[in-house]
Amino acid sequence: MTSRAEGDMESGEGVSNLRSSVFKDWCGQFLSCNPWMARYVYGLMFLAANLLAWAARDYGHGPLTELERFKGCHGAKYCFGTEGVLRVSLGCFTFFIIMFLSTMGTKKLHVARDLWHSGWWSIKIILLISLTAIPFLIPSSFILLYGEIAHFGAGVFLLIQLISVISFIIWLKDCCELDKYSEKCHIHVMLLAMTAYLVCIVGIILMYIWYVPEPSCLLNIFFITWTLVLLQLMTSVSLHPKVNGGFLTPGLMGLYIVFICWCAIRSEPAGDRCNRKAEASNHTDWLTIISFVIALLAMVIATFSTGIDSQCFQFRKNDSKSEDDVPYGYGFFHLVFATGAMYFAMLLIGWNTHHPMKKWTIDVGWTSTWVRVVNEWLAVCVYLWMLVAPMLWKCREFGGIP
């Protein structure tokens, strides 16, 4: 009986090894099955979708008017561009949702779902092109409904990105506090924290100079001053004796919220007297084009970097990994890109399906401004919770005794 069981086990291992070798052979026929290289291919596909959506918005008015399905626009000047963006976004979203459903839960390399994620590129490119073309045959009412749903999907993307950024900052702090790095990193941590605070203060001063030309610019004064208050609040909580978080994490978080505040004010519509920088964007010049390209690439890079950071969303941390484990969560990776497809649509239409967007502009409008501001406040709330939560759990663990 024992020898028979051993023989069954050996035969099972032989079948498993045979399958693995077959999958490896198939990988060689379809470009590469390297999951790390696959990330860049998906990133390029996502960038291509972004560029196509931008082209549909700024230069697709002529070709899109030829489609009978667009009669619902009733000749509105900006309707075709907005719907073009949403249709491209819907195609990209559908592609990555299909990839999410077909790869989530993948644990091991050299299995069918790993092969599908890291190979078969010719089929997936054809699939993406087809899914991008199909929405152009869908009635406008359904596309506008997708545009409303995309607001929530884009919000989910911002939340995922926010948690990923905060987790990275806290991981960096914990890494520097390890015993083997503590002495070596102490000076570097202090220099980095001081630099972060200095850049924050300089950024706040510059925003006052650029965006508060008159005392009547109360909204901009509120945005900038409140950002300074939030920076002070994060620092005070981090330095509390029971938290003992140090200067590094609030300094880096300060950089993040100052950047979001700057993006929020930059999103104010052109022509506002309190936003002279926006007034300069009325004329398309090389600086406007460069700013647009940088913003587009930054959005793609943010989606790419967030997609591979599935560790911070795992409730159970598994430090022990075997060689045949997948290097990152495939399902999470595609889910981030799916919500990112909704996010880039919102940026290109200013978070408003009835909002006119000028050429070579991105994320402009009062809706965009308030989305950024709320994102900044939410970032501070999540960061403070991540600082205070361990202390609260410890108190509860010991029966409420601090």
Side-chain angles (χ1 to χ4, degrees):
M1 292 289 291
T2 307
S3 60
R4 189 173 184 182
E6 289 177 353
D8 291 341
M9 290 177 61
E10 289 178 359
S11 62
E13 291 178 0
V15 171
S16 178
N17 292 333
L18 179 61
R19 273 185 199 164
S20 179
S21 63
V22 169
F23 285 136
K24 287 178 182 178
D25 291 339
W26 284 358
C27 282
Q29 297 174 11
F30 295 92
L31 296 181
S32 172
C33 272
N34 185 344
W36 292 111
M37 293 302 297
R39 301 174 307 154
Y40 297 100
V41 181
Y42 287 117
L44 289 175
M45 295 166 74
F46 187 73
L47 176 61
N50 279 255
L51 294 174
L52 180 61
W54 159 72
R57 187 198 69 176
D58 287 1
Y59 301 100
H61 303 289
L64 295 181
T65 51
E66 302 298 325
L67 294 175
E68 295 182 358
R69 297 287 186 178
F70 283 84
K71 288 182 179 178
C73 290
H74 301 295
K77 183 178 179 183
Y78 295 98
C79 184
F80 296 112
T82 298
E83 287 199 11
V85 171
L86 293 175
R87 290 170 192 272
V88 174
S89 170
L90 176 58
C92 184
F93 168 79
T94 307
F95 171 78
F96 282 107
I97 279 294
I98 291 174
M99 293 302 304
F100 163 70
L101 295 175
S102 58
T103 59
M104 66 176 182
T106 307
K107 301 295 184 184
K108 300 295 181 181
L109 297 172
H110 312 309
V111 297
R113 285 186 293 177
D114 172 60
L115 170 66
W116 171 240
H117 169 79
S118 305
W120 298 88
W121 295 111
S122 55
I123 295 177
K124 283 188 284 193
I125 289 173
I126 294 173
L127 178 63
L128 178 60
I129 294 173
S130 302
L131 292 173
T132 304
I134 290 173
F136 284 89
L137 305 176
I138 296 176
S140 295
S141 57
F142 182 83
I143 296 300
L144 294 177
L145 175 62
Y146 167 76
E148 298 301 323
I149 297 173
H151 285 83
F152 299 97
V156 171
F157 174 83
L158 286 175
L159 182 61
I160 294 174
Q161 185 186 52
L162 172 63
I163 295 174
S164 176
V165 170
I166 296 175
S167 298
F168 171 76
I169 291 174
I170 293 179
W171 170 85
L172 182 63
K173 168 188 167 289
D174 293 340
C175 183
C176 292
E177 288 180 350
L178 292 175
D179 292 337
K180 59 180 179 179
Y181 298 125
S182 58
E183 294 183 3
K184 188 184 299 183
C185 287
H186 182 70
I187 298 177
H188 297 86
V189 167
M190 291 301 298
L191 288 175
L192 182 59
M194 290 175 59
T195 304
Y197 276 101
L198 180 62
V199 173
C200 288
I201 298 301
V202 171
I204 289 172
I205 293 173
L206 289 177
M207 283 193 290
Y208 275 120
I209 295 173
W210 290 339
Y211 303 117
V212 190
E214 304 173 8
S216 59
C217 299
L218 297 179
L219 188 60
N220 286 355
I221 293 174
F222 168 70
F223 287 157
I224 301 170
T225 305
W226 188 243
T227 300
L228 183 61
V229 171
L230 292 176
L231 175 61
Q232 177 62 42
L233 175 63
M234 291 189 298
T235 304
S236 300
V237 173
S238 180
L239 293 178
H240 192 277
K242 293 184 179 180
V243 177
N244 196 23
F247 283 99
L248 180 61
T249 56
L252 295 178
M253 275 301 299
L255 287 176
Y256 185 58
I257 66 171
V258 167
F259 173 74
I260 296 178
C261 180
W262 175 75
C263 290
I265 298 177
R266 285 280 299 180
S267 295
E268 293 176 0
D272 189 271
R273 70 181 190 281
C274 297
N275 195 343
R276 293 174 178 174
K277 297 289 182 181
E279 289 179 0
S281 66
N282 280 330
H283 306 286
T284 302
D285 55 8
W286 64 270
L287 188 59
T288 304
I289 295 174
I290 290 176
S291 300
F292 174 82
V293 173
I294 292 175
L296 191 67
L297 290 176
M299 198 275 295
V300 174
I301 293 171
T303 307
F304 177 84
S305 59
T306 304
I308 60 174
D309 190 19
S310 58
Q311 295 293 328
C312 61
F313 294 90
Q314 290 182 355
F315 295 102
R316 293 182 179 179
K317 305 294 183 181
N318 184 16
D319 295 330
S320 58
K321 278 195 170 187
S322 59
E323 292 183 358
D324 60 342
D325 285 344
V326 295
Y328 55 91
Y330 295 164
F332 178 81
F333 177 85
H334 293 295
L335 179 63
V336 170
F337 272 81
T339 55
M342 293 181 166
Y343 179 63
F344 81 66
M346 292 298 103
L347 292 187
L348 288 173
I349 68 174
W351 295 81
N352 192 339
T353 55
H354 306 288
H355 176 68
M357 294 284 287
K358 297 181 182 296
K359 287 185 177 181
W360 297 102
T361 58
I362 186 171
D363 199 25
V364 174
W366 284 113
T367 307
S368 299
T369 298
W370 280 106
V371 167
R372 295 288 185 184
V373 169
V374 172
N375 187 35
E376 176 191 348
W377 298 347
L378 182 61
V380 176
C381 292
V382 173
Y383 170 74
L384 292 177
W385 170 251
M386 294 180 78
L387 286 180
V388 175
M391 183 181 65
L392 296 178
W393 289 336
K394 188 180 293 184
C395 291
R396 183 178 297 179
E397 212 173 287
F398 289 95
I401 302 174

